[in-house]
């Protein structure tokens, strides 16, 4: 089928929930993807911070192939080895003692919200159920997670929302402290806000939030669905702050493109769940676990956290040079390879022109260009992307 026919078939039969770019992608390898017409693109979107090892990474492909031939799915009525192995690796490499597996970021956050409520119900008292979340946050598209998301545009038309959520501005300790009541059971935040525009809090913010949680005996939930798995130059972004959350959620890059999510917690919190409290048919299925095991192993074996930090610094420095040449760049910010350019103008035209020139980037909140390339990109890839941006921004 040609490009036009595929797009028409999709538009006719798929619900109208996405505004898509008018290209049809058919192949990916490393940091590149190709469309059905054979045009090549440098991919600085990575399926929205998902394919951190690049497309079709050989180790992940081999693991999925081998597992598919052996055992794909049996449900959680039984034990399987790939699930046990991944749980052990995540526990060994994080603050957490226990893992619950699911299939997406929203599901991981649903599980986190349920665990926080269950823990509070069992150990803190009947009336502690409220969660404080941040304005401009993003936690997913289910009913509980749009409620947790502090952006009205995601909630509009879907009321009534879930009870028990309040919102405060990110990076505002005073507002957070005043929002805590005797009903509060936890604070949920992204260590760096992703969809909200790559918003990085002040250096001491997370540590102060941790201290506040301890003082009020409430839980800290870190949504690391986007920041996790090496994106910011550490395996998990909370590590930059020297503190640890009580609960953490992962998804996006966990399986390098295979749909998989996880919710992690300390033993103290995890003990609130017992058999029957929460479940997922597909959660932790051998195929997803094979992909995630291979992904985590590759990040470690190839030293990608260091590569990410180095390449991120280089990319930031290159964008700051670009900022000197283009007045439309208001601010350049980022950590590791989670990087943004805040513009004075709408970003849509720039994104479209980059696409025409063979560079995939995306835009959050209208005026912020976001770059989340694979962690394996080279300096040349960065140079090429910056050169395309330079051309596109000329005269704007
Ligand atoms: C993408 C994202 C989610 C939602 O993940 P889905 O897999 O789309 O459900 C939740 N939280 C954060 C921080 C995200 O970036």
């Amino acid at each position: 089928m040609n490009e036009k026919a595929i797009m028409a078939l999709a538009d006719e039969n798929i619900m109208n929930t996405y505004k898509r770019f008018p290209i049809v992608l058919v192949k990916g390898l490393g940091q590149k993807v190709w469309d059905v017409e054979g045009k090549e693109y440098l991919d600085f979107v990575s399926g929205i911070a998902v394919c951190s090892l690049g497309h079709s990474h050989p180790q992940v492909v081999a693991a999925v192939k081998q597992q598919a031939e052996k055992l794909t799915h049996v449900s959680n009525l039984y034990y399987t080895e790939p699930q046990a192995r991944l749980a052990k690796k995540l526990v060994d490499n994080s603050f957490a003692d226990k893992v619950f597996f699911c299939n997406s970021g929203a599901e991981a956050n649903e599980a986190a919200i349920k665990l926080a409520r269950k823990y509070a119900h069992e150990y803190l008292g009947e009336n502690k159920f409220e969660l404080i979340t941040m304005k401009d946050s993003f936690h997913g598209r289910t009913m509980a997670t749009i409620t947790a998301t502090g952006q009205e545009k995601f909630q509009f038309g879907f009321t009534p929302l879930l009870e028990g959520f309040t919102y405060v501005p990110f990076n505002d300790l005073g507002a957070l402290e005043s929002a805590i009541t005797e009903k509060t059971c936890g604070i949920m935040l992204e260590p760096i806000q992703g969809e909200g525009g790559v918003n990085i809090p002040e250096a001491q913010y997370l540590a102060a939030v941790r201290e506040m949680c301890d003082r009020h005996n409430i839980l800290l939930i870190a949504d690391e669905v986007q920041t996790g798995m090496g994106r910011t130059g550490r395996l998990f972004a909370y590590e930059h702050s020297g503190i640890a959350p009580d609960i953490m959620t992962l998804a996006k890059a966990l399986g390098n493109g295979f749909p998989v999510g996880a919710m992690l917690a300390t033993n103290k919190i995890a003990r609130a769940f017992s058999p029957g409290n929460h479940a997922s048919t597909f959660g932790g299925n051998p195929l997803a676990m094979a992909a995630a095991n291979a992904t985590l192993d590759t990040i470690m074996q190839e030293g990608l956290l260091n590569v990410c930090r180095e390449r991120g610094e280089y990319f930031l420095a290159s964008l700051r040079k670009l900022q000197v040449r283009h007045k439309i760049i208001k601010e350049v910010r980022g950590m590791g390879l989670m990087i943004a350019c805040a513009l004075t103008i709408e970003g849509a035209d720039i994104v479209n022109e980059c696409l025409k020139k063979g560079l995939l980037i995306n835009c959050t909140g209208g005026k912020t260009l976001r770059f989340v390339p694979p962690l394996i990109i080279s300096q040349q890839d960065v140079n090429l992307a910056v050169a395309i941006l330079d051309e596109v921004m000329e005269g704007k």
Side-chain angles (χ1 to χ4, degrees), residues 104-106 109 138-140 190 195 223 225-226 251-252:
S104 70
N109 286 332
F138 183 79
H139 298 296
E190 300 153 82
E195 301 307 298
D223 178 347
V225 168
Q226 187 159 158
K252 289 197 165 82

Side-chain angles (χ1 to χ4, degrees), residues 4-23:
K4 275 214 169 69
I6 295 167
M7 293 194 294
L9 189 67
D11 290 341
E12 231 173 77
N13 296 287
I14 297 173
M15 275 197 206
N16 191 23
T17 63
Y18 302 104
K19 190 164 167 286
R20 297 180 203 263
F21 293 102
I23 57 172

Side-chain angles (χ1 to χ4, degrees), residues 189-203:
L189 51 72
E190 300 153 82
I192 296 174
Q193 292 187 329
E195 301 307 298
V198 188
N199 304 320
I200 305 169
E202 273 158 38

Side-chain angles (χ1 to χ4, degrees), residues 177-190:
E177 182 84 58
S178 351
I180 297 173
T181 70
E182 64 278 15
K183 286 188 184 163
T184 308
C185 76
I187 297 169
M188 179 169 175
L189 51 72
E190 300 153 82

